[in-house]
Amino acid sequence: MSTHTTVSYCAKRTLSAQATRCLNPDNINPHVKEAKYAVRGELAVKAEEYRVKLAQGDKSLPFDSVIFANIGNPQQLDQKPITFFRQVLSLLENPQLLDRPEALRTSFGYEQDVIDRAKVLLADVQSVGAYSHSQGAPIIRKSVAKFIEERDGFPANPSDLFLCAGASSGVSTILNVICNGPQAGVLVPIPQYPLYTATLSLLNAQCVPYLLEEEKAWGTDVNAIRASLEKAKSNGTDVRSIVVINPGNPTGASLGLDDIKSVLDIAAEEKLVVIADEVYQTNVFEGEFTSFKKRLRQLQQEQPGKYDNVELVSLHSVSKGMVGECGQRGGYFELVGFDPEVAAQIYKLVSIGLCPPVIGQCLMEMMVNPPKEGSPSHEVYKTEYNGIRDGLHKRAMALYDAFQKMEGVECQKPQGAMYLFPTITLPPKAVEAAAAEKRAADEFYCLRLLDATGVCVVPGSGFGQKENTLHFRTTFLAPGTDWVERIVKFHAEFMAKYQ
């Protein structure tokens, strides 16, 4: 069969398939096609292909392991689960084990508080295979409310809490309620976690970007927010909300009291819903974390009237911090200052999904209510927790120090979260080579890095960046320093090649 005949045959088959199927790329929801999610994009797909090749014994690649530094997925990169959490989960998944408490203690090392916690949770949820209340199991929401009260020093009401399948699910829920049409706009920090722009694309709503101040440790710039807001309003956009990620993703920034107040001032003046993404609140290396709710309550006490009607949604998750249980899909959001009838509509929306994963809910309860000092499991829990925290900080500084030595690389000192977002200045020849491949220069650099080292990072263009700047985002979750040395060696060779 000739090449011409083969091509014609394939083309006919494709046309035939499109004619006999309902869906083809031209008639599916255009907003799905428009959405982009860089952390699981082309680079991640290629990295997975390399991983499979290595697993199959391929020796042709110039590296012997793939480092997925593109996504905050701690346990994929060898972070060990917290023993107390997993022991309790095992009993929830298989309650028959509770019939042999002595064997659990003597043969498997389960402490009595593990057994007691499993019994308490099962008494409320009955079975992790059963639906829970759509907002989440009552006993778990009570634990979360107590955690928030102890964290902030202000009351929290379990009825204002919604457990969810990771914070991402909560973000989707809230944006679905806020965005009431194509003119609805949401202020989003740039750089940002692409969940926000992708979800807004799906909703056919407007992303209103505001630039963070890189030279000031990626802090919020009130003037930049106001300028973006006014420009959007002049273009007919109905700006309804502002997103803040604190500590920052991808920047690793940790906001202080004044930055938080500035955002709340704008929200109060402009009637904006504040979406506070606080999933990295325990990943803080510099200073201490202050929640948006705590700062709001302080301001409401200090200046009665001004902040009374600020609407705030704050989100947290079991996926990050020292827990790192991304696959369990546990999270929550808290509503503050919402009209009760709007809250009822949010409840209706989450009810359509029946309930969040019950095993993830139970893990959330343990995260906010870990073994207390004096309890049998406390010492092991404390040792594991502190070991993970100290290891993350150590690797963050090792990566930061490496970037300090690399030509054309500038990086803000890590303050929190799980990421660094360095600026890279590439030689003109590298930029020209990227243009010849019809790629952004940072994407070109990241692909070459992956091909040479097996280290997968994400180009800054996937998060948004200031015009005429280039960045990439990397996690510092992978153990050891070998992969850091790979980056340093590649960068020197890349710069030399394109000088």
Side-chain angles (χ1 to χ4, degrees):
M1 187 181 288
S2 70
T3 303
H4 174 76
T5 306
T6 304
V7 171
S8 299
Y9 175 68
C10 290
K12 285 178 181 176
R13 284 199 63 184
T14 303
L15 291 170
S16 174
Q18 288 189 356
T20 56
R21 291 177 180 146
C22 170
L23 298 180
N24 64 65
D26 296 324
N27 71 5
I28 62 171
N29 184 336
H31 308 310
V32 172
K33 292 197 291 183
E34 188 67 25
K36 294 178 175 60
Y37 190 66
V39 297
R40 293 255 175 140
E42 180 187 0
L43 276 136
V45 171
K46 194 172 189 181
E48 177 60 17
E49 290 172 358
Y50 285 153
R51 186 198 66 79
V52 171
K53 282 185 176 183
L54 290 173
Q56 292 172 343
D58 191 323
K59 304 292 186 183
S60 66
L61 298 173
F63 46 85
D64 57 10
S65 64
V66 174
I67 302 295
F68 288 93
N70 60 305
I71 192 165
N73 194 10
Q75 292 187 23
Q76 183 192 43
L77 295 166
D78 293 339
Q79 180 172 309
K80 300 300 181 229
I82 300 288
T83 299
F84 178 84
F85 296 170
R86 285 298 183 90
Q87 287 181 338
V88 174
L89 292 183
S90 72
L91 300 179
L92 298 176
E93 291 280 13
N94 188 5
Q96 286 182 327
L97 295 174
L98 291 168
D99 296 336
R100 304 289 297 276
E102 195 57 36
L104 289 172
R105 284 190 290 266
T106 58
S107 299
F108 300 101
Y110 284 36
E111 299 286 1
Q112 186 60 44
D113 56 348
V114 171
I115 296 169
D116 293 342
R117 182 67 64 90
K119 287 181 176 178
V120 167
L121 288 168
L122 284 169
D124 189 72
V125 304
Q126 297 182 304
S127 169
V128 294
Y131 291 133
S132 74
H133 187 285
S134 291
Q135 272 183 256
I139 190 175
I140 299 173
R141 282 186 283 130
K142 285 180 182 177
S143 279
V144 175
K146 184 180 179 185
F147 158 78
I148 293 170
E149 287 180 4
E150 291 175 351
R151 182 195 68 189
D152 294 342
F154 294 96
N157 188 339
S159 65
D160 295 331
L161 289 161
F162 291 73
L163 303 183
C164 49
S168 299
S169 171
V171 168
S172 177
T173 295
I174 294 304
L175 289 179
N176 265 277
V177 171
I178 289 172
C179 298
N180 62 346
Q183 295 307 310
V186 176
L187 282 155
V188 175
I190 297 299
Q192 53 94 39
Y193 178 48
L195 165 69
Y196 293 94
T197 45
T199 305
L200 290 169
S201 290
L202 292 173
L203 294 171
N204 192 28
Q206 304 299 312
C207 172
V208 181
Y210 67 92
L211 287 172
L212 300 176
E213 291 188 285
E214 183 171 6
E215 63 280 5
K216 294 183 179 177
W218 295 109
T220 54
D221 179 352
V222 179
N223 294 327
I225 295 173
R226 292 191 184 281
S228 294
L229 179 63
E230 291 308 314
K231 181 180 178 182
K233 286 163 68 175
S234 68
N235 290 334
T237 300
D238 175 19
V239 183
R240 320 189 94 218
S241 179
I242 181 168
V243 172
V244 184
I245 308 172
N246 180 43
N249 178 6
T251 64
S254 185
L255 299 184
L257 298 179
D258 290 343
D259 276 332
I260 296 172
K261 180 180 181 296
S262 296
V263 173
L264 293 171
D265 284 342
I266 294 171
E269 295 163 17
E270 300 288 342
K271 295 183 180 178
L272 301 177
V273 178
V274 179
I275 300 176
D277 183 333
E278 298 174 334
V279 303
Y280 297 98
Q281 60 188 260
T282 56
N283 295 105
V284 176
F285 309 134
E286 299 280 328
E288 62 180 43
F289 170 76
T290 300
S291 75
F292 265 74
K293 184 186 178 186
K294 179 178 181 177
R295 193 72 184 108
L296 175 61
R297 292 297 190 229
Q298 289 173 340
L299 292 168
Q300 288 172 336
Q301 286 184 339
E302 294 166 10
Q303 300 180 51
K306 179 176 179 180
Y307 302 93
D308 288 359
N309 294 315
V310 170
E311 296 149 286
L312 167 68
V313 186
S314 55
L315 301 113
H316 199 8
S317 167
V318 303
S319 298
K320 310 302 177 184
M322 271 37 80
V323 183
E325 294 275 11
C326 303
Q328 306 282 6
R329 310 314 298 138
Y332 76 76
F333 62 87
E334 182 184 20
L335 301 181
V336 177
F338 274 66
D339 184 313
E341 292 187 18
V342 173
Q345 294 298 317
I346 293 172
Y347 174 76
K348 180 181 72 177
L349 179 58
V350 300
S351 297
I352 293 170
L354 296 171
C355 74
V358 175
I359 203 74
Q361 294 183 44
C362 293
L363 187 56
M364 172 60 71
E365 197 282 334
M366 289 181 274
M367 184 185 84
V368 300
N369 182 25
K372 298 294 188 289
E373 189 169 356
S375 65
S377 296
H378 178 260
E379 281 305 313
V380 171
Y381 168 79
K382 182 180 176 183
T383 299
E384 292 175 339
Y385 186 97
N386 290 346
I388 295 168
R389 181 196 62 200
D390 295 345
L392 286 172
H393 191 194
K394 184 177 179 181
R395 292 196 296 277
M397 293 310 298
L399 193 55
Y400 170 72
D401 290 342
F403 288 153
Q404 296 298 99
K405 300 169 187 172
M406 290 163 56
E407 179 190 356
V409 176
E410 295 180 23
C411 187
Q412 299 296 312
K413 189 176 180 182
Q415 294 182 311
M418 295 178 172
Y419 314 100
L420 293 178
F421 196 65
T423 297
I424 50 174
T425 302
L426 300 181
K429 288 182 180 178
V431 177
E432 291 168 10
E437 291 188 12
K438 297 183 178 178
R439 291 189 181 278
D442 51 4
E443 181 185 13
F444 177 82
Y445 176 90
C446 293
L447 279 165
R448 292 294 181 273
L449 172 66
L450 175 61
D451 291 341
T453 68
V455 178
C456 181
V457 298
V458 189
S461 49
F463 302 93
Q465 52 196 344
K466 189 175 181 179
E467 194 173 357
N468 298 321
T469 66
L470 302 171
H471 301 78
F472 66 87
R473 189 195 78 169
T474 176
T475 71
F476 40 78
L477 295 168
T481 57
D482 161 69
W483 64 281
V484 178
E485 294 305 316
R486 292 190 218 174
I487 296 175
V488 173
K489 181 174 181 290
F490 161 79
H491 184 80
E493 293 171 352
F494 181 93
M495 298 296 281
K497 178 179 178 179
Y498 290 103
Q499 283 297 353

